[in-house]
Amino acid sequence: SRSAADAEIIAVIDADYIAEPDFLDKYVPLFTDPKTGFVQTSHDYHQWEDSRVLSGAYFVYLPVHKHTLPALSEFGAGYTVGTMCLVRRKALEEAGGWAEWCLTEDSELALRIQALGYTGHNFTDTAGRGLIPETMHGIKKQQFRWTAGPVQQLLAHWRLYVGLGGERRLGRVHRLFELWHSLGRMPNVVGLLCGAGLLIYSLQAISSHTSAVIPGAFLWFLLAVSLENLLQQCISFNLVGARRIRDYVFALLMHSALEWTFISGFIAPLLGSRIAWHRTNKFKESFSFARALSTSRTETLLGLMHLGIAALLASFASFAPFDYVALTAVWFLQHGLGFMCTLLLAIVSEYELHSTARIQGAASPLASALRT
């Protein structure tokens, strides 16, 4: 670290963040306990309220920082998340410094620090606010990094996760949470594989003219699970401040729009892909419809493919009674619409950039002089 030789505590604050004046006064005293390795306050953001896309991102981003990480910290599984945190310099050096190979070098450092016996603390408090990337391109890049990094940690530190770390140790509960952290996006990948299995079975059923009828009770069960998942998401959005219908709609759209980012971010490290660390652009962007199409190209192709398969299956399906082929058609329709959300939000984000630039231009002194 490039810091004063006598510095004992290192504060990490991203360049786009505005810290509260009492940040250091409030949290540095926690380091009077020699076992405190780091203190992490919640991510939070500003300048998102007037944007539909950024508000959607805000309510997707915040629950993990306001609720999940502080809860894990109570069980001895704290995390640093890159900004608005304090790290004991001695612990940083004993752990071996920052891991430049990891896309989430912050949480990776927290793992090694706590394996040395130090304690980490996460708080729900907002001690500073930064910027959410203004485009879907930036949001996807950020979420890809946050998904791939924990998988890299698992591949590098799996011995710690199963209790074979030698002198470095993690508690049993902490190991379970680390596995949860690294494998959190596996259900997204499993869902994609399940879709392939459903399709194969449906094509076989169509070719053999035999398709099983789905029991009504099972359909009600699937509907109840879907509604429960929707309600759970909306509750998490509400707990971090969502109040308007628009807030819920765009948060749900954003969650669907990031599906492929979560899947590709999880798979890439497992395939041994060399993933470069790229800084997330927080500077003002200009309108670019081409960027919207480019950043959503993969999801758009996947969406169109899923919708095409859904239409094909629907032509062979029985909806009364509801058979297996019909269920598969609905599955592909749902996921196809989800993938198309990326294109929708990419276009909306570019339109909002255009509208903001137009309003700012109209309000500028030069524009006022020209009008007069």
Side-chain angles (χ1 to χ4, degrees):
S1 300
R2 295 184 179 180
S3 57
D6 59 346
E8 298 181 14
I9 309 299
I10 296 174
V12 182
I13 304 174
D14 280 2
D16 59 292
Y17 262 71
I18 300 174
E20 296 294 326
D22 63 347
F23 172 51
L24 296 178
D25 290 338
K26 190 173 182 179
Y27 296 103
V28 166
L30 293 172
F31 288 88
T32 55
D33 178 357
K35 284 296 183 181
T36 298
F38 63 85
V39 172
Q40 175 69 63
T41 62
S42 172
H43 271 202
D44 212 330
Y45 304 93
H46 60 100
Q47 297 183 29
W48 56 268
E49 295 87 345
D50 296 329
S51 165
R52 293 174 177 83
V53 173
L54 296 189
S55 64
Y58 181 85
F59 294 116
V60 169
Y61 280 26
L62 259 287
V64 68
H65 297 287
K66 290 294 185 182
H67 302 134
T68 305
L69 296 185
L72 296 182
S73 177
E74 292 296 314
F75 292 92
Y79 291 91
T80 52
V81 290
T83 188
M84 300 312 304
C85 66
L86 299 168
V87 181
R88 186 184 296 277
R89 181 174 184 161
K90 179 183 176 183
L92 172 64
E93 292 175 346
E94 287 180 7
W98 301 99
E100 297 183 6
W101 55 265
C102 187
L103 295 179
T104 48
E105 77 291 342
D106 33 48
S107 65
E108 194 278 339
L109 174 65
L111 170 68
R112 286 184 286 119
I113 285 178
Q114 290 173 109
L116 291 172
Y118 288 98
T119 302
H121 302 285
N122 287 78
F123 295 96
T124 63
D125 307 4
T126 292
R129 289 178 172 85
L131 298 171
I132 299 174
E134 290 187 310
T135 65
M136 276 303 296
H137 176 73
I139 291 171
K140 284 180 58 181
K141 182 189 296 184
Q142 195 172 59
Q143 288 294 323
F144 180 90
R145 190 170 72 241
W146 292 351
T147 302
V151 181
Q152 291 178 317
Q153 293 173 211
L154 172 61
L155 296 175
H157 298 300
W158 63 269
R159 291 176 181 82
L160 271 177
Y161 287 25
V162 297
L164 300 175
E167 296 182 359
R168 299 189 177 195
R169 295 281 181 176
L170 297 175
R172 184 177 303 171
V173 174
H174 191 173
R175 296 202 304 268
L176 290 174
F177 283 138
E178 286 293 345
L179 284 171
W180 171 85
H181 179 232
S182 295
L183 302 176
R185 297 304 179 184
M186 181 180 283
N188 301 81
V189 179
V190 172
L192 190 67
L193 297 176
C194 286
L198 289 171
L199 178 59
I200 292 171
Y201 186 88
S202 293
L203 292 177
Q204 290 177 340
I206 291 171
S207 64
S208 62
H209 303 285
T210 57
S211 181
V213 173
I214 304 297
F218 186 68
L219 292 176
W220 281 111
F221 170 76
L222 292 179
L223 179 61
V225 170
S226 299
L227 291 176
E228 186 273 339
N229 183 57
L230 177 64
L231 180 61
Q232 187 179 62
Q233 286 182 296
C234 289
I235 290 174
S236 71
F237 302 150
N238 179 266
L239 290 174
V240 292
R243 298 294 181 268
R244 301 167 295 182
I245 293 178
R246 191 189 86 174
D247 296 336
Y248 295 100
V249 169
F250 277 88
L252 291 169
L253 289 174
M254 179 61 70
H255 190 270
S256 295
L258 292 171
E259 177 77 8
W260 178 248
T261 301
F262 296 148
I263 292 172
S264 58
F266 184 87
I267 292 175
L270 296 177
L271 297 179
S273 301
R274 297 184 64 182
I275 311 171
W277 194 97
H278 295 288
R279 177 187 56 81
T280 303
N281 185 14
K282 302 291 184 67
F283 294 103
K284 281 292 180 183
E285 299 272 12
S286 57
F287 171 82
S288 173
F289 185 70
R291 180 173 55 217
L293 297 179
S294 174
T295 195
S296 60
R297 179 174 57 247
T298 301
E299 290 89 342
T300 302
L301 291 174
L302 286 170
L304 292 174
M305 182 179 70
H306 277 69
L307 294 175
I309 292 173
L312 175 64
L313 293 176
S315 65
F316 292 97
S318 169
F319 291 90
F322 203 89
D323 68 0
Y324 188 91
V325 177
L327 179 63
T328 306
V330 171
W331 190 96
F332 274 87
L333 174 64
Q334 175 191 347
H335 284 76
L337 293 175
F339 284 127
M340 296 303 292
C341 289
T342 311
L343 175 62
L344 172 64
L345 293 190
I347 293 174
V348 173
S349 68
E350 297 296 340
Y351 173 77
E352 289 182 335
L353 286 176
H354 178 66
S355 299
T356 301
R358 188 180 66 229
I359 292 171
Q360 291 176 343
S364 69
L366 177 60
S368 300
L370 290 174
R371 283 198 299 270
T372 57

